Amino acid sequence: MKKAIQYIIFFFVFVFKTSAQDPKYIKLTEKDGLPDIEFYDILEDNKGLIWLAADKGLYSFNGKDYKHYNNSNKRGNSVFGLKLDHQNKLWCNNISGQFFNIKKNKLVLYLDLKNELRGELAEFYFLENKLYIFCTSFIYVLDLNSKIKTKIPLPETKTKPIIRASCKQKNQIYFTIDDKVFTINEKNQLTNKKISIPKYGSNIFPKFFTYKKENYFLLYDNELNTNKFYKINRFELLEVQFPADLLHTKIITITENESKLWFSTAKGIIIVTNKNHQFYSENTFLKNDFITKTILDKNKTIWVSTLNNGIYIIPSLNIKWLNDVVINDNISTIEKISPSKIAVGTSNGNVFIQDISNGIKEDISINEKRKISALLYLKNKNLLLISNEVGAYCYDLNTKKTTDLNTIANSKDLQYIEKKNLIINCSFNCANLFTLKNNQFVLFKVLNKSRAYRSFYDKENNLIYVSYVDNLIVYEANYNSKIIKYNNKSIIAKDICKTQNNIIWIATFNNGILGFKNNKCIKKIDLKTGLKSEIIQDIKSDGDILWIVTDVGLQSFNTTTNQFFPTLINNNLNVGNINGLIINNDNILFSNQKDFFVMDKNTNLKSYKPNEILITSIKINEKDTLIKPTYSLPYDKNRIMVDFHINGYYPDDELLYEYRLIGQNENWIPIDANTKSIGFNGLPSNKYTLEIRVKVLNTDQYLYKNIFFTINQPFWKKWWFVLTLLLFAFGIIILFYKNKLRQKEKEKIQALKNAKFENNLAVLKLENLKSQMNPHFIFNALNSIQEYIVLNQKHLASSYLSKFADLIRAYLDHSSKGFISLYEEIECLNIYLELEKLRFEDKFSYEINNLVSDDYIKIPTMLIQPYVENAIKHGLLHKKENRILTITFIHLNEENSLKCIILDNGVGREKALQLRQTKHESFATNANEKRLELLNFGKDKKIGCVIDDLLDENNNPNGTQVTLLIPILK
């Protein structure tokens, strides 16, 4: 059962004599989610939770959901005997001798008397902090504090005593031993009441009950199916007469509610009251059900458990339900004949008069079986006018004869102006007036040839109101017409009536209900003022009270105080779509498509008092969490969903749910009553208070529930983190400046080193230059020039001198540069080798192989020439002939380097060392090694130099190869 019951103010009406006159109820069945249909007991606890003892076990019902309670040690499913102890803790037992209670929302086994009870279902009661257990042969008392079990000694009898009919009355428990009545109190004192039972035997079942603080006794004869009632008067039983419908039915339980006795029997519920010291049957209902228990909850809603038909909920007894007025048909319209007689028209074209006081139906025969569209009763003539889709009829209630009419077919509405003997007819294509003569209609006047819906005659002001498809028009006594507008717009009226304060009320299609006086709108009833829906179907006046039928139920509005009474009928009562409403002096009758309902107008209003707002679920980031009043959450757990509920059945129309989240919004926000759920997404860091409140409509009573949330800031926004970050940043700045100072110091030191390095490099360049321009070379060169002059070889002398000058000029030019191109290096080498070739008189040859495509590759200045000089001076000089020198340049793409190979076929390094006049290392070679060391200083890619001694086939020296690997600079 997932429907939320709505509160209904029901009215007491006279007792129907028909068989189907139960109060309107809501039935919980397995189709609605009820877990069982066989129930033995029902109880409401102090929190408004309904407990059900069923064949399948123990269940709780909060008005929305069922919860099953089980225990792994429980033998069997069924439980019985729901009771609350002195701490409002729920208890139950089973036929296996086990006693359970609810502790921390779980079913706990408290006591097991399997061996003592041996399959007997015991009765148990609580007196203060003691548990009393009754079976047919003994009484146990258990102290709930010490858990000490005591067997109560019984009076001696000739035979084994039989204990029966235990019943708690105030602070003592009544029971019988054989044919005597006894009591026991909280001090375990056994008292013989000295009352003898008039009838005793295995087929006689006694039962105690109280009424207005007096004790009564019932004896049920199972064989004869008869009951006898007695009043306990000190030491005797006085027989008392109870209503006849209680004398021959099995009574299951008896409860006293509101000064009335409620008998739950095998044939329904019988309510008995006492007037003038006599008991009368006031009400009997649910006669076809075996009733096991009836209770009234805190809001006086009736709950009924049955043995085989589920649970009934009756919000009030003050509405009577005459069901199945039509079968295989639908009621289309109704008309009042008298307070107890109603004319009914159906969709299948049937017409009858229903007497709701005795259930008698009077059928009216008409020719055409088409949907009845309108009925009108002419009281002064005792005639019933009938209009269907194709024709019209006049039924004389005196003669029971029907006359065909041909003038008011397919009427939407019929109204009678008795003073003028005129009938207003609203039809699908016009509105006109007819007069009735000899049971025949005569056209009197056509008011308008537009589709008309509804009409109303204001007899005090002699005005006719007619609602058309496009306008609302009022006609004066001379039939002059005037269009009534609201805010300068046309009014499309659904119904029209007048209250005794002379306000004309117009139910509109989309503007609620408008109140007009002297053709001016003075009041408006809409959703803002308490109207449940703007889909209005019917309105009726009753003095200053306006009765309103909408698609969601029936409301009443006091047009003087401008206040709504609590909701009367709504969707959750399942009365269906109300299609007819009749106001009588004492009661109200309304119909749906199948049934009639009657309510008394003078019933006192029922006041609902919600017990407590219960938080049923809290989800944080879509995960269920433990329910508690206060939460402290990290910044990323900020998606919160809260579900709440109020135990019991409460009408949605009577309770207004609102919430606000202090810390985000101070305004109250309505909550859908069917949802009862509140969600927040992405709450920023802050402290919040979620306030939920429930208000009973038309009162200022609120019920509150608060939950506190703290969404903590992320750690990077907390003061300690910010402070740490600032200190860290400050430390970084200090380290940065320290490092900067250290770097500058290093740069200063490096600059000094670089300056020293540049100075050393410059010195080495000069030394290298001096090496290259050594006196021996200069002397040889000048000597060669002199020899050419002496031999008068002027041309050779001039050429030699010119090349010598070019070489000196190139060396001087290159000495000022750090790097030169490969092309410039090869050009200098060519000049230098040409001079050496002239000096050796053609006994020396050389070859330069340039395998590099880019001649503008940069290499260090004066790097290769010293190695070439060494090859000539120390390798080739000591060889007499066939002196060959090869220089090869290769570009290594993968390593982005230049490879230079200097190859000579001289005497080799070892022989040259032996032939050298001094043991000192070559000045040029030493200077070049130092220069390489300086050039490689601080570089990732360094200039490499490898010298290999070459040998012939006999391992004799055959020359030297020098390989230089130079990183390329563009």
Side-chain angles (χ1 to χ4, degrees):
M1 169 67 183
K2 300 298 181 186
K3 303 174 183 175
I5 185 160
Q6 310 279 342
Y7 168 60
I8 302 141
I9 303 300
F10 294 106
F11 303 88
F12 169 75
V13 297
F14 50 83
V15 179
F16 289 111
K17 297 181 180 179
T18 58
S19 59
Q21 296 178 5
D22 289 336
K24 191 64 181 79
Y25 54 74
I26 295 172
K27 186 177 180 182
L28 308 183
T29 65
E30 288 182 307
K31 293 181 180 179
D32 305 308
L34 190 69
D36 203 346
I37 62 169
E38 187 173 337
F39 294 93
Y40 310 122
D41 203 354
I42 185 169
L43 178 144
E44 181 192 29
D45 66 13
N46 62 320
K47 294 183 178 180
L49 203 62
I50 300 297
W51 294 88
L52 304 171
D55 180 57
K56 294 180 181 178
L58 178 65
Y59 296 88
S60 67
F61 182 48
N62 63 8
K64 180 182 178 182
D65 299 310
Y66 297 92
K67 181 176 180 180
H68 182 228
Y69 294 82
N70 198 13
N71 185 289
S72 58
N73 296 316
K74 184 160 73 78
R75 296 186 292 272
N77 293 324
S78 304
V79 296
F80 305 85
L82 301 179
K83 290 180 178 64
L84 296 174
D85 64 14
H86 64 292
Q87 294 180 340
N88 288 313
K89 187 184 297 181
L90 183 87
W91 290 68
C92 64
N93 69 331
N94 63 16
I95 205 167
S96 298
Q98 294 175 305
F99 294 80
F100 303 89
N101 61 29
I102 297 295
K103 188 175 182 179
K104 294 183 179 180
N105 208 28
K106 292 183 179 180
L107 186 65
V108 178
L109 176 61
Y110 187 86
L111 180 66
D112 195 339
L113 297 179
K114 173 185 177 182
N115 297 328
E116 292 86 345
L117 293 174
R118 298 179 181 179
E120 180 182 347
L121 181 62
E123 294 287 345
F124 66 96
Y125 307 92
F126 295 96
L127 293 177
E128 294 186 354
N129 63 336
K130 294 179 180 179
L131 170 63
Y132 290 82
I133 302 171
F134 289 79
C135 70
T136 57
S137 57
F138 60 82
I139 302 172
Y140 277 124
V141 59
L142 184 72
D143 190 300
L144 297 179
N145 295 328
S146 63
K147 294 188 178 181
I148 296 175
K149 184 177 64 174
T150 304
K151 189 174 183 180
I152 301 297
L154 301 177
E156 294 183 2
T157 58
K158 294 180 181 180
T159 59
K160 185 178 180 181
I162 298 177
I163 302 170
R164 307 174 79 179
S166 58
C167 178
K168 181 181 175 182
Q169 308 289 354
K170 294 184 179 179
N171 58 349
Q172 58 185 352
I173 302 171
Y174 277 77
F175 60 96
T176 66
I177 298 180
D178 296 338
D179 60 345
K180 303 297 182 181
V181 176
F182 289 83
T183 61
I184 189 171
N185 61 18
E186 69 276 4
K187 296 180 180 180
N188 298 342
Q189 294 173 340
L190 205 65
T191 303
N192 186 342
K193 303 301 287 186
K194 298 180 180 179
I195 298 173
S196 296
I197 300 173
K199 208 173 182 182
Y200 174 75
S202 60
N203 63 314
I204 303 298
F205 295 90
K207 190 182 295 288
F208 291 93
F209 63 96
T210 62
Y211 177 66
K212 293 184 178 180
K213 299 181 180 181
E214 293 183 320
N215 296 321
Y216 289 80
F217 189 70
L218 162 67
L219 287 177
Y220 174 66
D221 190 324
N222 189 43
E223 292 181 355
L224 301 176
N225 191 29
T226 59
N227 291 305
K228 282 194 176 183
F229 297 87
Y230 301 88
K231 182 179 179 181
I232 301 176
N233 187 18
R234 298 190 66 183
F235 305 116
E236 61 180 342
L237 296 178
L238 300 178
E239 188 171 353
V240 181
Q241 294 300 317
F242 267 70
D245 46 3
L246 280 172
L247 299 181
H248 299 284
T249 183
K250 185 175 182 179
I251 298 171
I252 311 303
T253 55
I254 307 170
T255 54
E256 183 180 2
N257 297 317
E258 298 181 327
S259 299
K260 297 174 184 179
L261 284 172
W262 292 57
F263 290 86
S264 300
T265 76
K267 296 182 180 179
I269 299 171
I270 302 173
I271 300 177
V272 173
T273 187
N274 187 286
K275 294 180 182 179
N276 299 323
H277 305 290
Q278 290 187 354
F279 287 98
Y280 296 91
S281 178
E282 183 179 278
N283 204 343
T284 303
F285 52 93
L286 302 179
K287 293 180 180 180
N288 296 323
D289 288 299
F290 191 112
I291 310 299
T292 55
K293 188 74 172 289
T294 305
I295 64 169
L296 262 68
D297 67 14
K298 292 179 177 62
N299 291 309
K300 297 183 180 180
T301 298
I302 304 163
W303 297 74
V304 182
S305 61
T306 70
L307 190 62
N308 52 19
N309 204 17
I311 302 292
Y312 290 94
I313 301 173
I314 306 173
S316 175
L317 294 176
N318 297 320
I319 183 169
K320 294 301 177 181
W321 178 20
L322 184 63
N323 58 347
D324 293 333
V325 174
V326 295
I327 300 175
N328 299 325
D329 203 351
N330 293 319
I331 298 172
S332 59
T333 183
I334 62 173
E335 175 73 357
K336 176 182 175 180
I337 305 298
S338 71
S340 62
K341 290 186 177 183
I342 308 298
V344 180
T346 73
S347 298
N348 291 341
N350 296 309
V351 184
F352 58 90
I353 297 174
Q354 178 74 55
D355 191 328
I356 60 174
S357 65
N358 55 26
I360 297 175
K361 181 187 295 186
E362 179 183 341
D363 289 322
I364 300 173
S365 177
I366 59 175
N367 295 329
E368 295 290 339
K369 293 290 185 179
R370 301 293 290 272
K371 179 181 178 180
I372 306 301
S373 57
L375 296 172
L376 177 63
Y377 176 62
L378 307 181
K379 185 176 181 180
N380 62 336
K381 300 179 183 296
N382 204 21
L383 298 175
L384 179 64
L385 303 183
I386 305 165
S387 176
N388 65 13
E389 292 177 337
V390 294
Y393 308 90
C394 178
Y395 177 71
D396 191 322
L397 276 72
N398 295 321
T399 64
K400 312 299 182 184
K401 292 183 179 181
T402 303
T403 305
D404 288 352
L405 304 174
N406 54 7
T407 50
I408 58 169
N410 203 15
S411 291
K412 298 291 183 182
D413 183 50
L414 294 170
Q415 297 292 331
Y416 184 45
I417 306 175
E418 184 177 350
K419 182 178 179 181
K420 297 181 179 181
N421 193 32
L422 292 176
I423 294 170
I424 309 170
N425 174 41
C426 295
S427 184
F428 69 97
N429 61 357
C430 67
N432 43 35
L433 299 175
F434 289 90
T435 184
L436 188 63
K437 293 181 179 180
N438 299 322
N439 291 349
Q440 288 293 327
F441 280 114
V442 178
L443 180 63
F444 178 77
K445 184 175 181 61
V446 176
L447 297 176
N448 195 309
K449 291 187 177 180
S450 294
R451 185 184 184 91
Y453 291 120
R454 197 63 63 95
S455 63
F456 173 75
Y457 176 63
D458 181 2
K459 61 182 178 181
E460 287 79 14
N461 298 303
N462 198 18
L463 299 174
I464 298 174
Y465 293 82
V466 181
S467 170
Y468 295 97
V469 70
D470 53 359
N471 277 307
L472 175 64
I473 299 177
V474 58
Y475 297 91
E476 298 176 348
N478 58 4
Y479 301 109
N480 291 332
S481 62
K482 181 180 179 180
I483 297 175
I484 300 178
K485 293 189 176 183
Y486 174 69
N487 290 339
N488 294 321
K489 293 182 179 180
S490 297
I491 298 173
I492 312 300
K494 179 72 173 177
D495 202 0
I496 309 164
C497 71
K498 180 181 179 181
T499 50
Q500 69 178 14
N501 52 12
N502 293 320
I503 299 177
I504 300 293
W505 295 95
I506 301 167
T508 69
F509 280 89
N510 51 20
N511 278 317
I513 302 173
L514 306 176
F516 277 80
K517 210 169 198 179
N518 299 323
N519 294 335
K520 291 184 179 179
C521 184
I522 61 170
K523 291 185 179 183
K524 184 179 181 181
I525 305 172
D526 56 13
L527 299 176
K528 294 180 181 179
T529 58
L531 188 66
K532 297 302 180 185
S533 172
E534 289 190 339
I535 303 176
I536 303 162
Q537 298 169 336
D538 199 358
I539 59 174
K540 290 288 188 296
S541 63
D542 182 21
D544 285 345
I545 305 301
L546 185 67
W547 295 89
I548 306 166
V549 177
T550 70
D551 62 324
V552 296
L554 176 64
Q555 290 180 268
S556 60
F557 179 77
N558 189 314
T559 60
T560 301
T561 63
N562 296 323
Q563 289 184 337
F564 274 98
F565 293 105
T567 303
L568 299 176
I569 303 295
N570 48 54
N571 282 342
N572 283 22
L573 188 61
N574 296 325
V575 299
N577 185 39
I578 300 173
N579 57 14
L581 178 66
I582 293 173
I583 309 297
N584 294 316
N585 292 333
D586 299 324
N587 56 56
I588 298 168
L589 182 144
F590 61 91
S591 64
N592 60 19
Q593 292 184 331
K594 300 288 186 183
D595 312 319
F596 282 157
F597 303 89
V598 182
M599 303 182 301
D600 190 336
K601 296 191 297 185
N602 300 317
T603 300
N604 292 329
L605 298 181
K606 183 177 178 180
S607 178
Y608 272 99
K609 294 181 180 179
N611 192 52
E612 180 186 4
I613 299 175
L614 299 174
I615 304 301
T616 57
S617 170
I618 294 181
K619 291 183 179 180
I620 298 174
N621 286 11
E622 294 78 43
K623 292 185 178 179
D624 284 316
T625 188
L626 184 67
I627 297 174
K628 53 185 180 179
T630 304
Y631 293 86
S632 180
L633 304 171
Y635 74 95
D636 56 344
K637 292 188 176 181
N638 57 358
R639 299 190 304 278
I640 299 171
M641 178 70 70
V642 178
D643 295 333
F644 66 94
H645 186 68
I646 298 177
N647 284 341
Y649 267 105
Y650 292 90
D652 294 338
D653 285 346
E654 283 300 308
L655 299 182
L656 175 65
Y657 300 89
E658 295 177 318
Y659 80 93
R660 66 178 178 180
L661 186 64
I662 298 175
Q664 183 187 66
N665 191 345
E666 299 290 329
N667 299 323
W668 289 99
I669 301 170
I671 306 173
D672 185 357
N674 293 320
T675 303
K676 296 186 181 66
S677 183
I678 308 166
F680 307 98
N681 288 321
L683 287 175
S685 298
N686 201 354
K687 291 184 177 180
Y688 299 97
T689 300
L690 174 61
E691 292 187 347
I692 305 171
R693 71 180 184 182
V694 178
K695 176 188 177 184
V696 180
L697 289 184
N698 301 314
T699 70
D700 294 326
Q701 301 174 9
Y702 283 97
L703 188 65
Y704 289 86
K705 186 73 173 183
N706 294 342
I707 305 175
F708 301 94
F709 294 96
T710 298
I711 307 296
N712 293 302
Q713 289 184 335
F715 67 89
W716 60 81
K717 289 187 178 181
K718 292 187 176 181
W719 67 267
W720 58 266
F721 181 82
V722 174
L723 180 60
T724 303
L725 193 63
L726 289 174
L727 292 174
F728 180 75
F730 186 69
I732 291 294
I733 292 171
I734 292 174
L735 290 175
F736 173 77
Y737 279 105
K738 280 188 175 181
N739 186 61
K740 198 76 175 174
L741 292 174
R742 192 181 298 112
Q743 189 69 25
K744 285 185 177 181
E745 187 67 24
K746 286 183 179 180
E747 289 177 357
K748 184 177 179 181
I749 295 172
Q750 186 65 34
L752 292 174
K753 287 182 179 180
N754 289 342
K756 184 177 180 182
F757 168 76
E758 293 292 338
N759 183 58
N760 291 337
L761 191 62
V763 172
L764 286 173
K765 285 182 180 180
L766 290 175
E767 290 177 349
N768 219 5
L769 180 61
K770 286 195 297 179
S771 170
Q772 294 165 3
M773 304 299 296
N774 64 76
H776 179 70
F777 170 73
I778 296 173
F779 173 78
N780 288 337
L782 293 176
N783 192 36
S784 297
I785 295 170
Q786 182 183 9
E787 184 178 351
Y788 291 144
I789 294 172
V790 171
L791 296 175
N792 199 24
Q793 295 179 346
K794 297 178 181 180
H795 177 73
L796 290 174
S798 175
S799 176
Y800 199 106
L801 184 61
S802 175
K803 290 180 179 180
F804 179 73
D806 289 340
L807 182 62
I808 295 301
R809 189 183 304 108
Y811 283 164
L812 289 173
D813 181 50
H814 292 171
S815 65
S816 63
K817 298 178 181 180
F819 296 90
I820 61 174
S821 66
L822 179 62
Y823 172 78
E824 291 173 318
E825 180 70 20
I826 293 174
E827 189 178 48
C828 287
L829 288 174
N830 271 319
I831 297 173
Y832 170 73
L833 291 174
E834 282 292 327
L835 291 174
E836 290 289 3
K837 185 176 180 180
L838 288 173
R839 188 165 67 88
F840 283 107
E841 298 177 351
D842 294 329
K843 293 181 181 180
F844 166 69
S845 64
Y846 71 91
E847 182 181 2
I848 299 177
N849 300 314
N850 183 11
L851 304 179
V852 181
S853 59
D854 186 359
D855 291 339
Y856 293 95
I857 291 174
K858 298 292 185 181
I859 62 174
T861 307
M862 300 177 186
L863 178 62
I864 298 174
Q865 190 273 340
Y867 293 102
V868 174
E869 179 186 350
N870 280 343
I872 295 172
K873 183 177 180 180
H874 301 291
L876 298 176
L877 179 64
H878 302 291
K879 196 172 182 178
K880 299 301 181 181
E881 57 184 11
N882 192 27
R883 302 181 181 104
I884 300 172
L885 177 68
T886 304
I887 303 173
T888 304
F889 294 95
I890 302 171
H891 185 194
L892 302 179
N893 290 323
E894 292 183 359
E895 299 178 9
N896 196 26
S897 300
L898 176 68
K899 187 176 184 179
C900 177
I901 302 172
I902 304 168
L903 180 66
D904 69 79
N905 63 345
V907 295
R909 286 190 297 171
E910 186 178 350
K911 183 70 175 179
L913 184 60
Q914 295 174 359
L915 298 173
R916 192 178 303 163
Q917 294 179 356
T918 66
K919 298 299 179 180
H920 296 290
E921 187 178 357
S922 168
F923 175 79
T925 301
N926 184 50
N928 211 46
E929 287 178 355
K930 291 182 179 180
R931 186 164 180 262
L932 276 181
E933 183 180 347
L934 288 172
L935 286 172
N936 288 333
F937 179 77
K939 300 290 194 306
D940 292 331
K941 291 186 176 182
K942 303 181 185 298
I943 299 172
C945 178
V946 178
I947 301 175
D948 296 315
D949 295 316
L950 303 179
L951 302 175
D952 59 13
E953 296 176 353
N954 299 318
N955 289 327
N956 295 319
N958 192 29
T960 305
Q961 176 178 304
V962 179
T963 304
L964 294 172
L965 195 63
I966 308 167
I968 291 176
L969 296 173
K970 292 286 186 175

